[in-house]
Structure formats: C-alpha cells, structure tokens
Amino acid sequence: MAPINQYTTDKLRQLIYYNLDNNNLSNALFLAGRLHAYEPRASEAAYLVALCHLRLNQYKAAYDCSKNSGSRATHLGCAYVFAQACLGLGRYAEGIAALEKSRMHWISKNNWGKHTETKRQHVPDAAAVWCLLGKLLQAHEETKRAIECYAEALKANPFMWDAFTALCELGVNVRVPNVFKVTPELASSMGSNNTEDRSNSMVDESTTSSMSHSFSNDPFSVSTSRANGEVKQTASKSALFEKLNASTNLVTPVSTSNSQDTMETPSGPASVFGATVPRIREATAVTLDDSVAVEPPQAPTRKFRALAGLGMDVGDHAPPKMKASTLRSRSRIDRDPDEMDAASSSAATSVGLGITERKRTVSGHPAQVASTATLKDFSAHNPPDPMAPQRRSVRILNSITKPQSKFSTVSNLGNRDTRELKKLKPTGTKGGRANLSTVGRVVSGNRKNEPMDADAKSGNVNVSSHLSAPASRSQVNEKAKELESIQMLLDLFSRLGSGYLALSHYQCQEAFQIFNTITPSQRDTPWVLAQMARSLFQQASYAEAEKIYIRIRTMAPARLEDLELYSTCLWHLKKDVELSFLAHELVDINRLSPQAWCIVGNSFSLQRDHDQALKCFKRATHLDPKFAYAFTLQGHEHISNEEYDKAMGAYRSAIAAENRHYNAWYGLGKVYEKQGKYDVAEQHYRTAATINPTNAVLICCIGVVLEKMKKPQQALDQYTRSSELDPKSSLSRFKKARVLMALQRPDLALGELLVLKDIAPDEANVHFLLGRVYKTLRQKGNAIKHFTSALNLDPKASHHIKEAMEQMEDEVDEDELMT
C-alpha cells in the first residue's frame, strides 16, 4: 500500500470539521477514527476523536482519548476536551491540573471576532479556558480561586455569560457596570482583528473587474497580477513595452496592513505615449474635498502624436512660444526665441542619442518620449487615425519645411502615419479641486496653474495617500459601527445582568422592575419572562407568577427550565387539575427530565399521596444529582410523614448540591423546630434569612421560634420586619397582633387586626382575636359580633368561642356587682 500523503489527511480533517459543523457526530467520529489510524501519534487526530466523543456525551471515551496529550499539555485542544470530560466524570483535580499545565498555550490567546460564517477557531482561547477552570474549581469546592477565574474570563470577554451567572450564584457582589464594558483586552483584540482581516475595500469587486477590463483593452497599459502577495507586471512582448517597462513603474500598490489582500492602484505618471491611466468609475471617485461628491467630466483618451524633435531639424524654424496666460508648475515660461531654438536643438540631439526629453504633467511628473526605433516599432503596429482633428502644434509643425536628415523616415512617419491627438478640454476644477482622473495627464492647451503639495512640486504625486485617505475613513467608520454595535450589546447585557444579580441576591422587586424596563423584543422572550415569574414566585405572588408561566408555555411549549416553580405555584393555589395536566404533558415531552418528575411529585403531594410523591422526587434526583430543589421537596414530604431524620438527610443533600439554596436551610430549621430544638432552629432560620433577606416567611419563622423561647419583644421586632417586607402577609400581622396582646398593647393589636380583617375576611382566627381585643377594651357589642362571626366560620372551634363568650359575660356580671 502506498504511503499516505498530506493531502489525504487534510481532506479527512476537512470532512471531520464539515460533519461537526453540521452536527453529524457519528459520521465525524467515524472519520476521526480513520484519521487517527493514519496518524496514530498526532495530537490533533486524538483531539478530533475525543471531541466527537465529548459531543456525543461519552465522557469516559473522551477522557481516554485525550488523556495522553491533554494531561501532558502537548495540545491545547486535547487539554480542553480532557478537562471537560473530567468535569462530567467528577474528576475535578485532574482537569484543573491539565489546564494549569497548558497555561502557556492559552494565556495570551484571544479569538474575539475570529468566528464568522466562513471560518472557525476550533481551539479555545483564554476566556473559554478561564470559565472552564472556574467551573472545575467551583465543583472542587475551591470557591475563592473559582471566583478569580470567572473574573478573568469576564475581563477577557465580557460576553462570557456563564462566568457572570456563576459569580451571581456564588453570592459575589458584582459591579455590573464594570463587567459589561469595552475592556482594554477587548479593544486591543478588535483593533488587531481589524488590521488582520480587513482588506482594502475602497473599490468593490465590480470596480476591480472594470479596471481589469480597462487594462486589458488598453494596449499601452501595464496589467497587474498577484502571485504570493506580490505585484507582478505583465506587459506585451513587443520591443516597445520592453523598453518602457525597463525605466518606468506604472503601478503603485495601496499600502495596507495586509500585504496579501491589497489592491494595486495606478500612480500618476502612467501616461506614456498617450496611454491613459484607467479611470475608477464615478461610484468610487476620490476627491480632495468630501463635500464634493460629483466627479467633473473626464478628458477624452489621448492618442499618440509625433513630436517635433524626433527626426526634424528645427534649428532655424522654432515653433512659436505658448501664451504666458497658461501657467503650470515647472514649465518653461517667458523664454525668447533663441532659448526655444536651443531647447529644440537639444531635444533633437537627445533623441539621436536615445535619451528621452521629459515634459512636465499637471501633477509634476515628466511625460516620457520614445526613441526613434521605438516609434518605428509602434507605427508598424498602430496605424494613424485619419479622422482625428489636428492640434494647433501639429498644424504649425506641418507648415515647417521638412529637413533632409538621417531621421527623414521618422519625420515622414510623424507627418502622415502617426496617431494624432484630439483636442483636450481644460480639466481643471473649480476651487482648486482635483480628482483621480486628472492625475498624470500631459499639460497642453490653456490650463490654469493649480496649487500642488510638496510631493507634487518635487515631481512625485503620492496617489496612494489620496486613496488611503478615504480608505482610512471607511475603516474608521467600520470600527465606529462595530464599537456602536458592541456597546449596544453591552448595554443589553448590563441590564440583563443587573436584573439577574438582583434576583440572585433575592432583591425580587428590584429585579422585576429591571426586567420590565427591557425593550419589548428582549423582554417578551422565554428566558426573561422566566426570571420575572421567578421574582414573583419568591415574593409569594403565585397568581401573578402563574400568568407569566402560562405565557411562557404558549411561547415555548417544549421548554422545561423553571417549570418546577410553576408546579409549586399551582400547588399553593390548590389547582390540582392544571397541575395534573402539566405533569402529563411534560412527561410526554421528556420523561427523562428531572423537572417533569418534580412536577409529577407535586401533583401527588397536592393529592396527599406522600409516598408516591417521594418516589417521583427520588427519581428526579437520580436523573440529576445536582438538582437541589428536588431534594428540598423530598424533605418536605418526609416532614409530612413525620420522618424527621430522613427529612434532614434530604435537606443536607440539597445544601451539598447548592450551598445557597435557602429552602433547604429553612427545612432544617423546621425539622429542629418540630423536635423542640428552638435555638438550633433559630440558627438555621437565620442562615436562610442571610441568603434571602427579603423573604417575609423566613423572618416570621424566626419570630415564631423567639416567641416559643419566651422572647416576645424580639419576636415582635421580627414580626414587624416581616410585615414591612410583605404588607399583605396575613401570617405576620396575625402573629404580631397576638404578641401585642401578650405585651398588653391592645390598641396596637386592634390596628393590625383591622388591616388583617380586610386582607383575610373569612379567617375565623382573625375574628376570634378581634373579639378578644374588644373584650379587653370592654367593647361588649363588637366583641360578641366578632365571636359570632368566628363561630359561623369555624363551627369546629365552637367550644373555645363559646367559652370566651361566657367568660366575657361573667366579667360583666362581676363588674356590675362591684358597682
């Protein structure tokens, strides 16, 4: 079998990436196996095999394939895949060590702006590695180092949303404006990408093709071709072009940062024997003044004309002097006829020696003049145009007597067979403005003297500088647009991040307001609506949260995230039919999702089938061992069955899965409260309240424990705080009124109970306590009224209510006897 060449392996790599991009993972894995068979020692082949296994969620296979190169840090891709496999397998220390060893490969790498529709960066950059390293450290319970890694990831790339949410979930007080901003690292990467990837787009493709067409149609122009980034001149095989190209460079490339993607632009002195510079079309005309967008009419194409000094003896018959009104830079002005005779004689001598006379152009460049041999070759291939009108200088020269010399053949050629020039209109523009079409034209006729820069005065016109000016402006405009779009995205991320941070710190009202101020196009999306519903759920506004969850279900019927909270809302609202329907629907969508089994368990719990509910919650924790909320619900069911030890185990598992899961801390406090360990219960309640300081229920539970510990004043403080956090909380106001009665403050208790009566008018305990307050205040009529209402609302408590009414009558009889 013949040895495999490089082209075969390259084609295999292309096929692998093609299948990975199109999510044909099994096909990509097969092809990666073929590549690894060809290159068993190549790290990249092992990387591709491991990557395919990782995307197929085959963590052990990815671990094995990438371990050799990843653990030794010989290939960054292998180290990254190896660390991800370690994260999935729970081998956090190995993943951390692999990424730390390969630090030199990724610490200065930045792939910002390098992912487009046509190119990819398959190896991660510093931001991605920092984020993965933070996840590994967080799972390894190295919280401080994890926070540092997440901060570095956001510093390298502020759009690394996973790093931001991880910081919020860890309880870090993040300064959102300092995160979502254009960092120096981001700005430098943007600048390098602009320099790296942006080619000179001043002239579009159609303009380039039209310029190429102009070059190919003009036999006197020099076409340009590009090979390996270098400009090569392709000229005709005639002797004329061989002589011309030996002395003149007709093309000057526009200077840009990328030499391989530059486009060549004709320079000023490109007009030789009437060969004009190809014009850029009007859509890309370059003017010196931005306010003038219209290019003036261009002069017609110049044709060859015979010069007086070529083969003519004009020593005694000098042509007349041009008028002094047409001034141009570096031209011969105000000369007398003797000087003109000397000049013409010198020109004739120079031609005889093969040296060309130079005539100044409007740009200050010399116009080249050909030798006699060149003209012979030129006239043989280019017949004259008999229909072209003669110039004034030609008519004067024709009137001169033809001298007989060794150049007589050339003189006859100049009189009859040469191409004559058409008359040119003045090409000067008003206000001293010039465009590209006027650069490099030979000065002839009446033309005004235009101001020229220092380069023009010295005979060199820097056309590249004129073209690079609009190019630089376009690049500046592109960069400004890019910065504007990035700033717009950063503003959006800043608002979303502020809301998420507030919600993670359980500042639910503030979070809801922030999310509500986002633009409707972003607000009316499932993720944002889910955060808004969650904020309402944390405030115990279950009815309002239910409405938002219904909208989410309408927009994204297959979305499963956060629906366990929706089921808890339905549980609190006692909507067993809706809860059962939701459970059946989600099991049909994905029976292997932990959210579906949580919802099924809540449905059984509402029907008071606690054993079936426990089975469902355990199934959810088996599917996702990090699902803290399922452990918490499992603990609640154990409390309902009075299995306190099992409940404590479930709550501790929830805390192990998520340390800031305040519901689990609350559950532990409830267990200790049931066991009569009020001091331990108070500690757990306070821990939960530290995590969620805005939860009125937690504050009320602290007050209940303090009240049982015979600390009524401290309990009153907690009840007051709970009422302030949630003015609609009936439990907090009732507990507060009862403590006020115990502290012999019936007036304050009456005020709380009147408010509570409006909140819960059908609550028997409220009317019974009102009767007692009125009884203490000796308002017999109001007391009997509320005792009667309590008796009607709760007939089962008739014994206690009648006893209170009888005690009130006995007290009245004693008062009458005393009087």
Side-chain angles (χ1 to χ4, degrees):
M1 181 178 177
I4 302 301
N5 56 25
Q6 184 68 25
Y7 297 101
T8 303
T9 56
D10 289 344
K11 181 58 66 176
L12 269 177
R13 289 186 182 89
Q14 293 176 11
L15 291 172
I16 293 168
Y17 285 121
Y18 167 80
N19 285 278
L20 285 174
D21 290 340
N22 289 280
N23 204 30
N24 297 326
L25 300 179
S26 58
N27 197 24
L29 179 59
F30 174 78
L31 294 171
R34 303 314 99 217
L35 178 64
H36 190 263
Y38 283 141
E39 299 178 344
R41 297 183 179 180
S43 298
E44 186 182 2
Y47 160 69
L48 290 174
V49 176
L51 180 63
C52 294
H53 282 300
L54 182 67
R55 294 194 180 183
L56 287 168
N57 294 326
Q58 300 172 0
Y59 296 113
K60 188 62 173 63
Y63 174 88
D64 293 335
C65 293
S66 60
K67 183 177 181 179
N68 188 24
S69 299
S71 60
R72 293 187 292 112
T74 58
H75 189 272
L76 177 57
C78 287
Y80 190 74
V81 172
F82 179 74
Q84 286 183 313
C86 290
L87 181 62
L89 295 173
R91 303 180 179 181
Y92 309 121
E94 294 182 43
I96 295 170
L99 292 181
E100 290 290 350
K101 278 186 179 180
S102 61
R103 178 184 289 265
M104 59 179 294
H105 298 295
W106 56 264
I107 191 64
S108 60
K109 191 175 181 61
N110 195 325
N111 292 340
W112 172 261
K114 296 181 181 178
H115 290 76
T116 63
E117 295 180 356
T118 57
K119 63 179 181 179
R120 299 285 188 275
Q121 291 290 329
H122 297 283
V123 180
D125 61 351
V129 178
W130 279 122
C131 187
L132 178 58
L133 186 58
K135 292 178 181 178
L136 288 167
L137 290 169
Q138 182 180 357
H140 201 240
E141 297 183 358
E142 297 184 37
T143 306
K144 186 175 180 180
R145 290 181 62 193
I147 292 173
E148 294 176 356
C149 291
Y150 289 138
E152 290 294 334
L154 288 171
K155 184 179 179 181
N157 186 353
F159 297 102
M160 194 64 66
W161 183 253
D162 277 356
F164 177 79
T165 55
L167 288 175
C168 294
E169 291 167 0
L170 288 173
V172 179
N173 189 13
V174 183
R175 296 179 181 179
V176 178
N178 291 341
V179 173
F180 298 108
K181 66 178 183 179
V182 180
T183 60
E185 292 81 0
L186 180 60
S188 62
S189 62
M190 286 170 54
S192 63
N193 290 331
N194 289 337
T195 305
E196 237 175 61
D197 300 333
R198 185 184 295 111
S199 62
N200 186 7
S201 59
M202 180 180 59
V203 182
D204 58 11
E205 293 180 359
S206 59
T207 306
T208 307
S209 62
S210 65
M211 291 175 64
S212 301
H213 183 68
S214 299
F215 277 123
S216 61
N217 287 342
D218 191 350
F220 303 105
S221 62
V222 178
S223 60
T224 58
S225 61
R226 200 177 282 111
N228 299 327
E230 296 180 358
V231 179
K232 295 184 178 181
Q233 298 181 356
T234 305
S236 173
K237 295 182 179 180
S238 63
L240 173 64
F241 285 104
E242 291 177 1
K243 294 182 178 181
L244 291 179
N245 293 335
S247 59
T248 307
N249 184 12
L250 300 181
V251 191
T252 303
V254 179
S255 58
T256 56
S257 59
N258 192 352
S259 61
Q260 296 184 357
D261 295 334
T262 56
M263 182 172 64
E264 289 73 20
T265 305
S267 62
S271 177
V272 181
F273 297 111
T276 58
V277 178
R279 304 190 191 103
I280 299 177
R281 62 181 183 179
E282 290 183 1
T284 57
V286 181
T287 60
L288 299 180
D289 191 351
D290 293 339
S291 62
V292 179
V294 180
E295 184 180 4
Q298 297 179 351
T301 305
R302 308 200 68 176
K303 297 184 178 181
F304 176 80
R305 65 183 177 90
L307 298 179
L310 297 180
M312 294 184 182
D313 187 6
V314 292
D316 298 329
H317 303 279
K321 183 172 58 175
M322 298 293 292
K323 293 183 179 180
S325 59
T326 56
L327 301 178
R328 57 182 184 262
S329 79
R330 307 182 75 97
S331 64
R332 292 185 291 272
I333 302 174
D334 296 338
R335 291 191 180 183
D336 53 15
D338 296 335
E339 293 177 345
M340 295 298 294
D341 295 342
S344 60
S345 300
S346 176
T349 306
S350 300
V351 172
L353 295 175
I355 302 174
T356 59
E357 183 195 5
R358 298 186 178 274
K359 185 176 181 181
R360 293 296 176 180
T361 63
V362 68
S363 59
H365 284 264
Q368 296 183 0
V369 182
S371 64
T372 305
T374 305
L375 289 176
K376 290 181 180 180
D377 192 290
F378 175 80
S379 62
H381 296 84
N382 296 275
D385 187 3
M387 301 302 296
Q390 292 182 344
R391 293 180 58 88
R392 176 174 177 271
S393 57
V394 176
R395 293 196 302 270
I396 295 173
L397 290 174
N398 290 337
S399 64
I400 301 175
T401 303
K402 301 176 184 178
Q404 298 296 327
S405 65
K406 61 181 179 179
F407 298 109
S408 60
T409 304
V410 180
S411 67
N412 293 332
L413 174 65
N415 291 333
R416 296 186 183 90
D417 298 331
T418 55
R419 300 169 64 186
E420 298 172 346
L421 294 175
K422 297 179 181 180
K423 291 186 178 181
L424 296 178
K425 296 181 180 180
T427 57
T429 56
K430 295 182 179 180
R433 299 188 181 96
N435 54 26
L436 187 62
S437 63
T438 63
V439 178
R441 300 217 178 260
V442 179
V443 176
S444 62
N446 296 330
R447 188 170 297 175
K448 294 182 180 180
N449 186 21
E450 297 177 359
M452 305 176 68
D453 54 9
D455 292 336
K457 291 180 180 179
S458 61
N460 297 320
V461 177
N462 190 0
V463 181
S464 299
S465 63
H466 293 297
L467 292 177
S468 62
S472 61
R473 286 196 295 269
S474 63
Q475 292 178 4
V476 169
N477 292 335
E478 288 181 8
K479 189 171 184 180
K481 290 179 180 179
E482 183 179 2
L483 286 174
E484 183 180 358
S485 61
I486 290 176
Q487 190 61 49
M488 184 181 299
L489 286 176
L490 289 174
D491 292 340
L492 174 62
F493 272 62
S494 179
R495 195 170 291 273
L496 292 173
S498 299
Y500 192 86
L501 178 64
L503 187 58
S504 63
H505 289 177
Y506 297 99
Q507 300 171 359
C508 301
Q509 292 182 355
E510 181 182 353
F512 185 85
Q513 293 175 359
I514 292 174
F515 285 125
N516 200 30
T517 57
I518 297 176
T519 57
S521 61
Q522 293 290 332
R523 183 185 61 216
D524 298 335
T525 54
W527 188 87
V528 178
L529 290 176
Q531 306 310 311
M532 297 175 68
R534 182 182 167 194
S535 65
L536 292 173
F537 172 82
Q538 297 294 347
Q539 298 178 68
S541 301
Y542 302 120
E544 290 80 0
E546 180 195 8
K547 295 177 182 178
I548 298 182
Y549 280 122
I550 291 174
R551 288 184 60 191
I552 297 173
R553 294 283 298 149
T554 304
M555 297 172 62
R559 190 178 191 273
L560 300 177
E561 290 79 5
D562 300 320
L563 290 186
E564 67 276 7
L565 303 181
Y566 178 31
S567 66
T568 304
C569 288
L570 297 175
W571 189 92
H572 283 289
L573 296 173
K574 308 301 180 185
K575 294 187 176 182
D576 54 347
V577 177
E578 290 84 352
L579 184 55
S580 299
F581 178 75
L582 180 64
H584 282 287
E585 196 173 16
L586 292 188
V587 169
D588 292 338
I589 293 174
N590 187 2
R591 63 182 300 106
L592 297 179
S593 64
Q595 293 87 356
W597 288 103
C598 267
I599 295 169
V600 174
N602 270 335
S603 179
F604 281 116
S605 177
L606 185 58
Q607 299 170 12
R608 298 188 181 279
D609 191 348
H610 302 297
D611 293 334
Q612 290 295 328
L614 278 171
K615 292 180 181 179
C616 295
F617 294 140
K618 288 180 180 179
R619 174 65 173 164
T621 56
H622 289 162
L623 292 171
D624 185 4
K626 296 295 183 180
F627 196 15
Y629 194 64
F631 284 112
T632 300
L633 294 177
Q634 185 178 337
H636 293 343
E637 296 303 315
H638 283 303
I639 289 180
S640 299
N641 289 338
E642 296 183 355
E643 299 172 347
Y644 299 125
D645 292 337
K646 293 182 179 179
M648 291 179 65
Y651 290 134
R652 285 168 179 165
S653 298
I655 294 173
E658 184 181 344
N659 189 36
R660 297 186 71 251
H661 190 63
Y662 77 93
N663 308 79
W665 291 102
Y666 161 79
L668 285 174
K670 182 63 68 177
V671 170
Y672 286 117
E673 182 183 352
K674 294 282 187 181
Q675 293 176 348
K677 300 178 180 179
Y678 301 123
D679 52 346
V680 182
E682 179 190 1
Q683 293 177 4
H684 286 82
Y685 282 143
R686 289 189 181 277
T687 302
T690 302
I691 298 172
N692 186 358
T694 61
N695 192 293
V697 177
L698 293 176
I699 307 301
C700 185
C701 290
I702 296 174
V704 171
V705 174
L706 291 172
E707 187 178 359
K708 291 180 179 180
M709 294 170 66
K710 307 300 182 182
K711 299 178 180 179
Q713 185 60 46
Q714 297 181 17
L716 178 61
D717 296 337
Q718 298 298 323
Y719 292 143
T720 302
R721 182 185 171 193
S722 177
S723 301
E724 292 173 353
L725 290 174
D726 187 6
K728 295 182 181 180
S729 176
S730 56
L731 180 63
S732 300
R733 289 189 180 276
F734 182 79
K735 297 284 187 181
K736 181 180 180 181
R738 194 170 63 180
V739 171
L740 287 172
M741 285 290 295
L743 294 174
Q744 301 297 324
R745 300 176 187 176
D747 296 335
L748 297 177
L750 179 60
E752 295 292 336
L753 290 172
L754 291 176
V755 176
L756 183 59
K757 184 185 68 172
D758 297 333
I759 297 174
D762 298 331
E763 184 63 40
N765 290 327
V766 175
H767 290 280
F768 178 74
L769 192 57
L770 271 172
R772 289 182 57 189
V773 171
Y774 282 121
K775 174 185 172 182
T776 304
L777 294 175
R778 298 183 180 277
Q779 297 181 13
K780 181 179 178 181
N782 290 329
I784 294 175
K785 174 184 175 182
H786 286 285
F787 279 140
T788 305
S789 298
L791 185 60
N792 294 332
L793 291 172
D794 189 7
K796 295 180 181 180
S798 58
H799 175 72
H800 299 285
I801 297 173
K802 288 179 180 179
E803 183 179 356
M805 294 176 67
E806 290 174 358
Q807 290 178 357
M808 183 182 64
E809 292 178 356
D810 293 340
E811 290 177 359
V812 171
D813 293 339
E814 290 178 0
D815 291 340
E816 290 178 353
L817 292 174
M818 291 292 294
T819 56

